[in-house]
Amino acid sequence: MKDISVILTGYKRNYFDKQIRAIKSQKNVNVKRIIIWQNENHIDISNLRKDGVEIIKSDTNFKFHGRFTLPLLFQTEWTAIF
């Protein structure tokens, strides 16, 4: 089974609970990390850390570029970006 990291984009979105449950329920992949990339600070998502989710916040809105540079830092073979 392949290891995978997952990046979720957090810009004015507040439906992460449903997404995280769906990701964690996957049986065909081994999800090593779930990371939320948050451009600016429009909503408080700090409560998601209790579920083992990593949060990376940027005061600057780097548009889509930020989330696509993150996989360069991961040790997993695969990365899914949603």
Side-chain angles (χ1 to χ4, degrees), residues 36-73:
I36 297 177
W37 172 270
Q38 186 178 31
N39 277 323
E40 300 174 350
N41 194 13
H42 298 284
I43 60 173
D44 181 16
I45 57 173
S46 59
N47 64 315
L48 298 173
R49 285 194 172 101
K50 67 179 175 8
D51 294 325
V53 174
E54 300 172 52
I55 299 172
I56 298 174
K57 291 185 179 184
S58 173
D59 291 335
T60 303
N61 186 341
F62 286 108
K63 310 275 187 234
F64 56 88
H65 302 289
R67 66 180 173 257
F68 287 113
T69 56
L70 278 179
L72 298 172
L73 305 172

Side-chain angles (χ1 to χ4, degrees), residues 15-29:
Y15 45 74
F16 293 111
D17 289 333
K18 185 175 181 179
Q19 286 182 313
I20 291 167
R21 278 194 312 274
I23 291 165
K24 287 184 173 185
S25 70
Q26 297 301 307
K27 304 294 185 217
N28 296 331
V29 294

Side-chain angles (χ1 to χ4, degrees), residues 4-19:
I4 188 170
S5 296
V6 176
I7 300 172
L8 302 173
T9 302
Y11 178 77
K12 295 185 180 180
R13 294 180 173 94
N14 197 16
Y15 45 74
F16 293 111
D17 289 333
K18 185 175 181 179
Q19 286 182 313

